[in-house]
Amino acid sequence: EVVLFGIPYDKTASFQKGTVEGPQQFREKMEFSAETWSPYQNKELLDLKIYDAGDVKVDNNQGPSQMNDAVEEFTDQILKHNVKTIMIGGEHSVSYPVFKSHFKKNPDLHLVHFDAHTDLRDEFYGEPFSHACIVKKCIDLTGPGKTFQFGIRSGSKEEFELHDQGVTYIEKSRVTTVPTIAKKLIDKPVYITIDIDVLDPSIAPGTGTPEAGGISYEELIDALKHLSQIKNVVGIDLVELSPKVDPTNRTTALAVKLMREIILMFYKK
C-alpha cells in the first residue's frame, strides 16, 4: 500500500553537509528505538502493508541532473504499482524528481510545502536544480496557483514577491492557515514535502541549514492532521535531516516518530 525509499544525496547543500546520511540513520533509529504503536492516534504501524524499497543508487559526487534522472526512473517503476510513496532525504533537491514522477500520473498535482526557506530561486550558485530551487522547479511543472508554503521565514525579496503575484501561497513563520487550505484541496491530488528545518532548531538542530524561529512538533502534527482529510495525498517526503550535526541524535529520533505519525495519519484510515 505504501512504498518507502531513501535518497542519500547532498551535493548542492550550501551550508552544512551531512544529509546524505539521513536515510541510513533514519532506518537505524526506526529499527532500534521506535515503537510501532501510536499513542496519539491509537493505530498500529504493523497493520499497514509497507515496503522498504531501499535507497536510490545515486552518486553524491555527481551533479543533480544525474541524480534527477536516477530518482525519476526509480520512482516511475514504483508508481507502476499504483501505490503511495514515502521518501526520506537527502537534501531538498531530491524532492523534485519524485514530484515530477507523480506529476506525470497526476497532471493536476498540487504541492504543500513545509520549510523555513522559500526554495523559489531560479538558480543558486549557478545550479538550477539546487536545494534552494526545488519549489520553483515544481511550479514550472504545475503552473502558478497550485503550491502552498508554510512556516517560511527565510528567502529573497523576489521570492516572497511571488506570493503577491499569485504564483505561490506563502504563510510566513506559522501554519495557522493550513485548515483553510486543506479544505480547498480536499478533492485534489496533493504531494506533501517537509523540510525538517520548518521546526524550531532548538528541537531539531540536525539539519543542513537551520533557521532561527520555527514551529513546534505539536504545531506540525496538528497541521498535518488537517491535511490528512485530503482524499488523494499521493506522496510525502521528509528531507534535510543531517544526523552528523546533531550528536545527541534527538533530531533523528524526532524524524522517526514524526514519520510514524504521518504514515498512520494519511494511509491508515
Side-chain angles (χ1 to χ4, degrees):
E1 297 168 321
V2 182
V3 175
L4 181 145
F5 60 97
I7 308 176
Y9 185 82
D10 67 357
K11 175 69 174 177
T12 79
S14 53
F15 182 47
Q16 299 178 117
K17 300 284 187 179
T19 54
V20 66
E21 300 172 0
Q24 176 188 348
Q25 293 296 314
F26 177 90
R27 285 190 182 88
E28 289 182 6
K29 296 297 182 294
M30 190 75 167
E31 182 176 0
F32 295 112
S33 67
E35 296 84 1
T36 56
W37 173 257
S38 166
Y40 299 96
Q41 303 180 63
N42 291 324
K43 294 179 181 178
E44 172 58 59
L45 196 62
L46 295 179
D47 289 341
L48 263 172
K49 296 177 181 178
I50 303 172
Y51 177 69
D52 187 347
D55 291 345
V56 184
K57 290 180 171 58
V58 291
D59 186 342
N60 202 42
N61 295 312
Q62 291 184 327
S65 293
Q66 291 90 339
M67 179 274 293
N68 285 342
D69 291 343
V71 173
E72 184 179 347
E73 181 179 356
F74 186 95
T75 311
D76 284 349
Q77 294 301 313
I78 290 173
L79 295 185
K80 287 181 179 179
H81 300 282
N82 296 316
V83 293
K84 311 294 186 181
T85 63
I86 297 288
M87 184 269 281
I88 305 296
E91 58 165 68
H92 215 156
S93 67
V94 301
S95 297
Y96 172 72
V98 180
F99 181 86
K100 185 178 178 184
S101 280
H102 281 285
F103 175 76
K104 288 186 290 187
K105 290 180 70 71
N106 301 276
D108 190 34
L109 191 59
H110 291 61
L111 179 65
V112 173
H113 172 224
F114 292 93
D115 203 325
H117 308 90
T118 48
D119 292 351
L120 290 167
R121 299 172 188 265
D122 284 312
E123 59 87 25
F124 194 58
Y125 290 116
E127 175 51 67
F129 289 97
S130 162
H131 71 148
C133 308
I134 155 67
V135 177
K136 181 58 167 60
K137 294 297 174 286
C138 292
I139 291 173
D140 289 344
L141 286 177
T142 66
K146 294 185 176 182
T147 296
F148 303 86
Q149 302 178 261
F150 301 96
I152 309 298
R153 53 193 190 275
S154 180
S156 69
K157 176 185 177 183
E158 291 76 17
E159 288 176 279
F160 280 104
E161 286 175 343
L162 293 176
H163 169 82
D164 300 326
Q165 297 164 15
V167 174
T168 182
Y169 173 90
I170 297 176
E171 181 179 359
K172 298 177 184 177
S173 301
R174 313 307 326 155
V175 293
T176 58
T177 59
V178 168
T180 301
I181 298 302
K183 291 177 182 177
K184 180 176 181 177
L185 299 177
I186 193 73
D187 292 316
K188 304 292 186 183
V190 173
Y191 186 92
I192 299 174
T193 181
I194 305 168
D195 186 325
I196 204 164
D197 69 24
V198 72
L199 295 167
D200 190 302
S202 66
I203 61 170
T207 187
T209 314
E211 192 70 40
I215 64 174
S216 70
Y217 177 82
E218 290 78 12
E219 285 175 307
L220 180 55
I221 288 291
D222 186 63
L224 290 167
K225 283 180 181 177
H226 287 285
L227 292 171
S228 70
Q229 303 307 308
I230 296 170
K231 297 176 182 177
N232 188 22
V233 175
V234 300
I236 304 170
D237 68 48
L238 178 63
V239 298
E240 296 287 353
L241 170 65
S242 185
K244 77 175 188 179
V245 301
D246 176 14
T248 70
N249 289 317
R250 68 182 184 269
T251 310
T252 308
L254 182 154
V256 166
K257 297 298 175 71
L258 174 62
M259 187 51 69
R260 178 191 67 195
E261 296 306 313
I262 287 172
I263 294 173
L264 288 171
M265 200 181 294
F266 285 88
Y267 302 131
K268 176 70 170 66
K269 300 300 183 184

